Amino acid sequence: MNRELIGAVAADTDRRLHRLLDTRVNPGAAARDAAAAPLQAELLQEAARHGLFHCALPTNVCTGRGFAPVRWGLVLEHIGYRCTDLSFPLLVYLTAGTIRRLHHDQRTDLLEPLTDGGRHPLIGFAYTEQRDPFDFRGSLSRRGDTITVTTEKSIVAGARILDAFLTYVPDAQGRPTAVLLHRTDPGVSIAPLAVSGFRSAGFGTVRATDTAVPCDRIVDTDGLAHAQRILNAEAAFFVAAPTGRMRAIAEACAMHVAATERHDTPLADYPNVQSLLGRMHATVESCRATLYQALEAYGEDDSLWSPLSWIAKYTVGQHALTVAAMAQRLTGTQGFLDTSPCARHLRDFSGLLAGGNPQEKVEIDLGVHLTQTIRPTLREPGE
């Protein structure tokens, strides 16, 4: 990865968002987490007005100036580095990815009703039912120019904050269909959901009961492939901000031990502390390298599965909890206080293990991919 590009993106992101993060988002992070209070949608709107999405969205879509995958990933990483509330970049990446998919599907017309007054549309991704993805509950029926939708999505990030949700409902033949539902549609209700991490991301359960909407809300009749393309495309972006937060945690720990003395000796001078810091530093930089490789390989082939994206998701998910735990060891009792972000980061990072796809599912997929990749090179004995 070009270090000059990394620095340039960081400087540009600071210019656009540093004041917002320092004065509006970060100061309330601990209080929001303690109360499980959702972020204000206005914070996302203000970030949009400051050009947050300029490299996340295609030209002429909302505030987009052309999708640049590497730049967008670096923006998210730097936001994670600066922002102490990881719910903020979580909602940012979800919104951008869903809007970008609608643009790819040539359905930007669905954004127009959500942009009244110049607002940036805030759209979520509602998929999880805690069931086999080939066996969704719910129903979608069509009559004339209207479809009637009944569904329940059990765990939706941003449910209590966002304007609309791209969701997946089986049609009369049982085939999942991608549909856009507005939170204000008749029959749509949202119930708060208590989660252990990302507590200010407004998680909730989204229900639609006999919700009648125009047929043009159907985005794709092949919902399974549609959802998989979103999950595949966003896997690396999902872990970009946590990677930045890991770097901030490592730097904060280094400053802490350098400023703390035991027996008139800075903790940073103890070999065991140096070893733990070195392990943390190596772990963070390994995750960054894996993330950068995935960002650079981001293609436009619209593939259903990209191994490097999932390797990045898997690697950061595996190591983020380790870094947070090492931070608690390095900060001692300070790391267990309510005023310390260590416990919050531990809970947030735990969401990386199940989010997107569970780590065990990713392991299986990667194993299958490697087997299928190597098999054509094998020869039968005697060949």
Side-chain angles (χ1 to χ4, degrees):
M1 179 67 71
N2 186 316
R3 292 289 165 176
E4 290 184 3
L5 175 61
I6 295 172
V9 171
D12 182 63
T13 305
D14 280 340
R15 179 177 61 82
R16 296 174 185 276
L17 297 176
H18 189 59
R19 182 180 297 276
L20 173 65
L21 296 179
D22 274 6
T23 62
R24 301 283 304 283
V25 179
N26 289 348
R32 282 192 301 269
D33 180 78
L39 280 156
Q40 294 176 309
E42 175 56 30
L43 294 176
L44 297 172
Q45 296 291 346
E46 187 172 341
R49 289 193 293 271
H50 284 85
L52 170 60
F53 297 98
H54 73 289
C55 61
L57 301 175
T59 305
N60 299 326
V61 176
C62 304
T63 55
R65 299 180 186 174
F67 177 42
V70 170
R71 282 185 174 271
W72 178 232
L74 292 176
V75 168
L76 290 171
E77 185 198 11
H78 194 69
I79 291 175
Y81 176 73
R82 292 292 191 195
C83 183
T84 60
D85 187 345
L86 282 174
S87 292
F88 180 79
L90 171 67
L91 295 174
V92 164
Y93 111 83
L94 280 173
T95 299
T98 309
I99 292 175
R100 193 164 59 248
R101 187 69 229 180
L102 289 174
H103 173 268
H104 185 278
D105 297 332
Q106 299 182 338
R107 294 308 312 274
T108 54
D109 59 296
L110 294 176
L111 304 176
E112 294 173 4
L114 303 172
T115 57
D116 291 343
R119 294 176 70 255
H120 185 89
L122 302 177
I123 304 178
F125 178 74
Y127 185 78
T128 303
E129 288 193 4
Q130 301 290 34
R131 291 171 62 84
D132 189 304
F134 297 94
D135 186 28
F136 280 140
R137 286 193 178 106
S139 63
L140 182 153
S141 60
R142 180 168 183 167
R143 185 172 183 177
D145 294 332
T146 301
I147 57 171
T148 301
V149 174
T150 295
T151 188
E152 177 177 313
K153 300 302 178 180
S154 55
I155 304 176
V156 180
R160 300 163 64 189
I161 303 169
L162 305 180
D163 302 317
F165 307 94
L166 184 57
T167 190
Y168 300 84
V169 188
D171 63 12
Q173 287 73 44
R175 298 170 302 193
T177 301
V179 180
L180 187 71
L181 295 179
H182 296 185
R183 67 182 304 115
T184 55
D185 286 334
V188 172
S189 62
I190 297 168
L193 187 67
V195 291
S196 62
F198 296 104
R199 289 164 59 90
S200 61
F203 275 86
T205 298
V206 177
R207 298 184 179 92
T209 304
D210 295 328
T211 296
V213 296
C215 284
D216 64 6
R217 293 278 196 88
I218 293 177
V219 178
D220 197 319
T221 55
D222 187 355
L224 282 178
H226 190 271
Q228 188 58 43
R229 285 190 173 94
I230 291 180
L231 290 168
N232 179 65
E234 299 302 309
F237 300 130
F238 175 41
V239 293
T243 302
R245 185 90 305 249
M246 290 164 64
R247 181 162 63 97
I249 290 171
E251 292 179 2
C253 286
M255 290 188 288
H256 173 80
V257 297
T260 304
E261 290 189 354
R262 293 291 184 269
H263 307 292
D264 297 324
T265 301
L267 283 179
D269 290 348
Y270 285 80
N272 61 319
V273 173
Q274 294 168 344
S275 175
L276 194 56
L277 277 175
R279 197 181 318 153
M280 181 184 284
H281 186 37
T283 300
V284 170
E285 291 305 316
S286 296
C287 288
R288 292 182 78 190
T290 305
L291 171 65
Y292 294 164
Q293 185 182 26
L295 294 177
E296 289 178 328
Y298 187 100
E300 297 181 357
D301 58 356
D302 204 33
S303 60
L304 289 174
W305 199 77
S306 172
L308 286 177
S309 291
W310 290 108
I311 288 171
K313 186 270 181 189
Y314 178 83
T315 301
V316 175
Q318 291 295 98
H319 292 304
L321 282 170
T322 301
V323 167
M326 285 192 285
Q328 284 196 320
R329 291 173 61 185
L330 286 167
T331 55
T333 54
Q334 294 293 319
F336 292 91
L337 299 178
D338 281 343
T339 53
S340 167
C342 284
R344 185 168 77 251
H345 293 328
L346 267 171
R347 288 187 280 102
D348 287 345
F349 288 154
S350 69
L352 304 181
L353 301 181
N357 262 329
Q359 296 290 83
E360 288 73 16
K361 175 64 165 56
V362 177
E363 288 176 343
I364 292 170
D365 290 341
L366 289 171
V368 170
H369 171 75
L370 180 60
T371 302
Q372 292 178 341
T373 301
I374 200 68
R375 186 171 292 161
T377 68
L378 300 178
R379 293 179 177 272
E380 294 294 331
E383 287 188 341

